Amino acid sequence: MAARFLAPSLLALAFGSIMPAHAAEAAADNIIITARAQTLYRVQDTEVGKVPANPLDMPQSVQVINSDMIEDQGARDIRDLYRNVPGLSANNYATVTFRGFRQDTTYYDGLRGDPFQTFSVPQLFTIDRVEFLKGPAGMLYGAGSPGGTINYVTKKPSETFAANIRAIAGGRSRYGGSGDVTGALDASGAISGRLGLVYEDFDSYRVNASSRTIIADGGLKFRLDENTSLTVQITDYDQDLPGNRLRGIPVDANGNFLTYRSWNHNEPGDFIRYNGLVSQARLDSKLSEAVSFNVAGRWFRYREHQEYHEPVALRDTDADGIFDSITREFRAQRRNVEGLSFGSNFVVKTNTGPINHTILLGGDWYREDANSRLQSSRNVPMLSLNDPQYGTANPIDLSTLPITRSDARVTRYGVYVQDQIGFGDHIILVGGVRRDWFKDEDHIAGTQADASATTWRGGAIYKPRKDVSLYFNWSQSFEPQSVANQSPLVGGPFSPETGNQIEAGAKTDLLDGRIQATAALYRIVRRNVLQIDDNQDAVNGVDQMAPVGEVTSKGIELTLTADITRNWLVSGSYAYNDTRITGSAEGQSIDNSVGDRFPNAPRHQAGFWTRYQIPAIDTAIAFGGQHVSSQLDRSGDRLKPFTIFDTTLTKSFAFAEVKLRIENIFDKYYAVSGFTGPKGAYIGNARSWFIELRKRF
């Protein structure tokens, strides 16, 4: 309860530290002044390719969701943005499926150090924009999935004063508030600061479950000279999630849910408590018009304490052929993760005659230590799917349960070089290479694996005019095998999984941004996937592994953002993906696959968002939808296709701005992804709504 009263006090302190110097500048705002595609959603600069560049000048599919779109849609966490990114869909918790492959590594300001690695979902309050680089990015980021890379760009202090304060209320007892303020802290503007705080509390549509989130965020920017600045930031995340960790709702082979949406396998006393702390610093310097560099470091730590009831097996207690109950296991887990990363980029622009060069030299280093402890007991009563009786489970004395521990360290570091060559105004060629080294250590098993990898990237762009870009790229990725599979007991160590992509596409920024469109056609091949090798005998009862798996992903992606009229904006996307196993040991199946298909990889996705503003009454109406075709879960059960719709209504008054958001307007009961039979299908949010009152200065 104390946190509920602490949040408003901290927010008042944050505003009080900056606002007095700027009180005379405060003025009512108007939502109507920037409501066009060329200004509202348009992004003309991104650093996801390590060098600041217009997306049209990058030979790879890139999509950026900026703060205006995040705000316009009322998005609270990353799941609210999936409809906008073709080829991206929910997997489970914070992981996604990216061009057919599971992806669970994300970056913040270009560095590793994700504070949402397990069962918490990335929040957007501290995020200015989210950058999605499609396909392999090994040359730029090192080890990772070949499907794509997500980079969160955080909000930074600004010399220009800006502030806003918000209050929120809505269905399921939702309430909360947030605010942030930024501006110069001295008369010369040499030091600027930013402070932000959010508090939000609401009940889940799942019985016994609710959510409380507090995020405090701050930063300072020091202008050391005209061309050099140092930015330091710190963010604290605190979440209390009673009735979690939430699994899904069981389904039958045809995707029919076996119980109602509000059912929960957790008891009223179950919970997740999460705390994450992040600090980072970055030095940017422009030595001349031709030479610039940046050096950055990021440290993070998160602590997660869980006590919950895990679904184990479905049961048919009355022998009528229909599952009606589920067995459970009580689990108490503690996870502790700490990571440190550094990165540096040195950019040189030079000419050799009529040819322009942008040369990138860089390197990065990352270390992460993770340990956990697990206690579990199956001395738990079964739970009915249709008539659950909560509170019947006997309290479990944790001191009587054995402890299973894990303790691991991963180390990643690499260096890279890239040259972007411009031939006049129409042709750009890109080529780069990276060398990586990595070491994975399991301190419990006493094993370690270390190796190295080289990845390449090449591309070409032809611009028949400055607002049209035709591109082609070939890129690679690598991903180390898991520590457990590197053990000599199973035949390890093994070379990393590798991926390569061929992609061709077109991008436009026509009519000064009034029509922004992209089209991409790609083929990704992932090799060295480990499988049990039936040609080798088991050693001491342990199956031997071999890197004999291959998976191929093919697809097409389309996006369009356009001004229909001066007051009517439309954004839409479509993706087709076909991911299949194209090489495998006879009689074996690649882990997490179902036949020759992969779970949670829909073939068809489509999404749209349209916004119409009525200047005469200072009102904007927005409406969006998402369609996802059928999928398979990890048990091979079908997940039905779904189509959902959301809306927002924003009205400006003289004193403030009011936003109404309704999610899942028609209260569709649907599955966004699936796990295994007893753990069920992860379900989309039931219909919800909130009203937000905001005052901007």
Side-chain angles (χ1 to χ4, degrees):
M1 288 294 294
R4 300 184 180 184
F5 298 100
L6 178 62
S9 301
L10 290 176
L11 185 58
L13 179 62
F15 271 76
S17 65
I18 295 180
M19 285 190 65
H22 301 275
E25 303 175 26
D29 77 306
N30 190 303
I31 64 171
I32 303 302
I33 57 175
T34 59
R36 304 187 66 188
Q38 65 183 131
T39 53
L40 194 62
Y41 300 156
R42 189 183 187 192
V43 176
Q44 295 178 283
D45 188 67
T46 173
E47 287 193 20
V48 73
K50 300 291 188 179
V51 178
N54 188 311
L56 263 66
D57 294 334
M58 298 182 63
Q60 201 160 338
S61 181
V62 177
Q63 190 163 355
V64 181
I65 306 298
N66 66 8
S67 57
D68 288 318
M69 179 170 278
I70 293 172
E71 169 62 31
D72 203 35
Q73 297 187 358
R76 319 305 274 186
D77 62 51
I78 186 62
R79 295 171 297 187
D80 295 326
L81 302 182
Y82 292 161
R83 74 151 63 85
N84 305 301
V85 187
L88 184 79
S89 60
N91 194 292
N92 60 75
Y93 302 107
T95 67
V96 298
T97 299
F98 216 149
R99 286 188 169 178
F101 299 107
R102 173 174 166 153
Q103 200 267 16
D104 55 10
T105 301
T106 57
Y107 297 81
Y108 285 76
D109 297 308
L111 293 176
R112 292 177 184 265
D114 180 14
F116 299 98
Q117 290 191 14
T118 51
F119 305 103
S120 297
V121 178
Q123 305 294 301
L124 298 175
F125 175 74
T126 64
I127 302 303
D128 181 64
R129 66 180 186 269
V130 188
E131 302 173 326
F132 302 88
L133 180 65
K134 309 292 188 67
M139 187 249 117
L140 295 170
Y141 289 95
S145 167
T149 300
I150 300 176
N151 181 48
Y152 294 91
V153 179
T154 58
K155 295 178 180 178
K156 307 293 194 303
S158 172
E159 295 178 24
T160 303
F161 173 77
N164 76 79
I165 187 168
R166 312 181 190 200
I168 186 173
R172 302 195 204 109
S173 303
R174 183 189 291 261
Y175 68 95
S178 67
D180 59 75
V181 58
T182 186
L185 298 178
D186 65 340
S188 66
I191 303 175
S192 53
R194 179 183 177 275
L195 287 169
L197 182 71
V198 63
Y199 175 84
E200 196 159 345
D201 193 313
F202 60 89
D203 293 333
S204 171
Y205 56 93
R206 305 281 295 272
V207 67
N208 299 330
S210 60
S211 171
R212 189 222 67 201
T213 298
I214 300 176
I215 304 173
D217 184 45
L220 292 171
K221 182 177 181 179
F222 303 90
R223 194 175 69 224
L224 304 181
D225 61 41
E226 185 178 353
N227 296 307
T228 304
S229 65
L230 172 66
T231 304
V232 295
Q233 299 167 260
I234 187 168
T235 307
D236 183 83
Y237 303 92
D238 187 86
Q239 286 188 308
D240 185 8
L241 305 172
N244 288 264
R245 175 174 79 176
L246 285 171
R247 293 296 194 177
I249 301 294
V251 298
D252 64 19
N254 296 315
N256 299 307
F257 292 106
L258 298 182
T259 185
Y260 45 89
R261 180 166 45 190
S262 61
W263 182 86
N264 190 349
H265 51 88
N266 287 299
E267 294 290 325
D270 292 350
F271 62 85
I272 293 180
R273 297 191 184 109
Y274 161 82
N275 177 258
L277 183 63
V278 180
S279 62
Q280 65 180 44
R282 172 165 162 156
L283 177 70
D284 288 273
S285 183
K286 186 177 181 181
L287 302 180
S288 68
E289 291 299 320
V291 181
S292 62
F293 74 91
N294 61 70
V295 180
R298 180 177 174 88
W299 172 86
F300 81 98
R301 181 208 69 205
Y302 78 75
R303 304 284 186 262
E304 200 168 53
H305 180 197
Q306 308 176 16
E307 292 187 11
Y308 66 101
H309 286 75
E310 175 78 355
V312 176
L314 292 165
R315 292 286 185 261
D316 175 11
T317 60
D318 55 10
D320 64 353
I322 300 175
F323 292 124
D324 54 37
S325 298
I326 198 164
T327 61
R328 299 176 297 165
E329 176 180 81
F330 172 77
R331 294 182 181 178
Q333 289 183 313
R334 291 182 182 269
R335 300 170 184 268
N336 303 299
V337 179
E338 185 172 336
L340 181 65
S341 60
F342 296 99
S344 180
N345 296 288
F346 190 79
V347 180
V348 178
K349 296 183 179 181
T350 186
N351 300 325
T352 54
I355 302 174
N356 304 318
H357 296 267
T358 301
I359 300 171
L360 167 68
L361 301 170
D364 49 51
W365 179 92
Y366 177 67
R367 190 179 78 186
E368 179 180 296
D369 293 282
N371 64 78
S372 67
R373 50 176 285 172
L374 167 67
Q375 296 172 277
S376 63
S377 170
R378 293 202 174 180
N379 185 24
V380 178
M382 281 196 301
L383 188 70
S384 169
L385 294 177
N386 299 307
D387 185 25
Q389 301 298 312
Y390 296 107
T392 61
N394 294 322
I396 294 177
D397 183 0
L398 294 180
S399 65
T400 65
L401 300 179
I403 300 174
T404 301
R405 300 182 185 273
S406 71
D407 188 1
R409 168 178 289 181
V410 300
T411 306
R412 308 274 188 269
Y413 56 97
V415 293
Y416 48 90
V417 60
Q418 175 183 275
D419 191 6
Q420 180 170 306
I421 308 170
F423 298 86
D425 296 328
H426 300 291
I427 297 176
I428 300 173
L429 301 180
V430 176
V433 62
R434 176 183 176 117
R435 184 68 174 174
D436 275 281
W437 295 266
F438 58 90
K439 177 186 288 187
D440 294 337
E441 303 168 83
D442 186 331
H443 295 159
I444 300 297
T447 61
Q448 75 172 44
D450 54 273
S452 59
T454 301
T455 46
W456 299 78
R457 177 177 184 244
I461 296 173
Y462 173 64
K463 301 180 75 172
R465 45 187 286 174
K466 66 177 182 179
D467 52 8
V468 175
S469 175
L470 308 176
Y471 72 91
F472 171 85
N473 83 66
W474 177 79
S475 54
Q476 291 183 310
S477 70
F478 78 96
E479 195 165 18
Q481 310 289 354
S482 68
V483 175
N485 284 339
Q486 292 284 47
S487 170
L489 297 176
V490 298
F494 299 102
S495 298
E497 291 185 10
T498 62
N500 63 76
Q501 172 185 262
I502 296 175
E503 178 182 7
K507 308 175 188 179
T508 73
D509 194 28
L510 301 172
L511 301 177
D512 193 28
R514 292 178 178 87
I515 301 177
Q516 305 162 41
T518 64
L521 183 68
Y522 63 87
R523 181 177 185 268
I524 303 172
V525 179
R526 187 175 192 172
R527 296 187 175 93
N528 288 348
V529 182
L530 287 184
Q531 296 174 255
I532 296 173
D533 187 355
D534 282 345
N535 293 320
Q536 300 185 58
D537 294 331
V539 177
N540 295 325
V542 178
D543 290 327
Q544 299 300 286
M545 308 291 288
V548 294
E550 178 186 276
V551 183
T552 300
S553 169
K554 297 180 290 186
I556 185 172
E557 295 168 355
L558 306 170
T559 68
L560 173 67
T561 301
D563 291 325
I564 305 301
T565 69
R566 182 175 181 81
N567 296 313
W568 185 12
L569 179 155
V570 172
S571 177
S573 66
Y574 168 76
Y576 169 81
N577 175 265
D578 183 22
T579 302
R580 293 180 179 272
I581 297 171
T582 50
S584 178
E586 184 177 354
Q588 294 296 318
S589 177
I590 291 176
D591 188 33
N592 288 336
S593 66
V594 180
D596 68 343
R597 301 300 303 273
F598 266 66
N600 304 320
R603 285 191 176 181
H604 301 277
Q605 296 172 258
F608 76 92
W609 185 257
T610 182
R611 185 183 200 270
Y612 186 79
Q613 60 189 27
I614 309 171
I617 57 173
D618 284 347
T619 300
I621 303 171
F623 178 71
Q626 179 185 25
H627 173 78
V628 176
S629 66
S630 62
Q631 309 172 64
L632 297 176
D633 69 10
R634 297 185 187 183
S635 297
D637 295 329
R638 177 178 180 265
L639 303 181
K640 293 182 177 181
F642 66 86
T643 303
I644 56 169
F645 300 97
D646 308 326
T647 188
T648 64
L649 174 67
T650 308
K651 167 69 176 173
S652 267
F653 297 94
F655 62 93
E657 177 181 292
V658 178
K659 180 187 294 291
L660 167 67
R661 183 188 185 211
I662 304 176
E663 180 181 355
N664 191 3
I665 297 172
F666 301 107
D667 203 24
K668 178 79 171 179
Y669 183 12
Y670 65 101
V672 296
S673 62
F675 206 72
T676 58
K679 294 175 175 55
Y682 294 99
I683 55 178
N685 196 14
R687 181 169 54 218
S688 64
W689 64 273
F690 65 76
I691 295 176
E692 186 176 71
L693 178 67
R694 181 175 69 180
K695 177 66 176 178
R696 287 192 269 197
F697 303 91

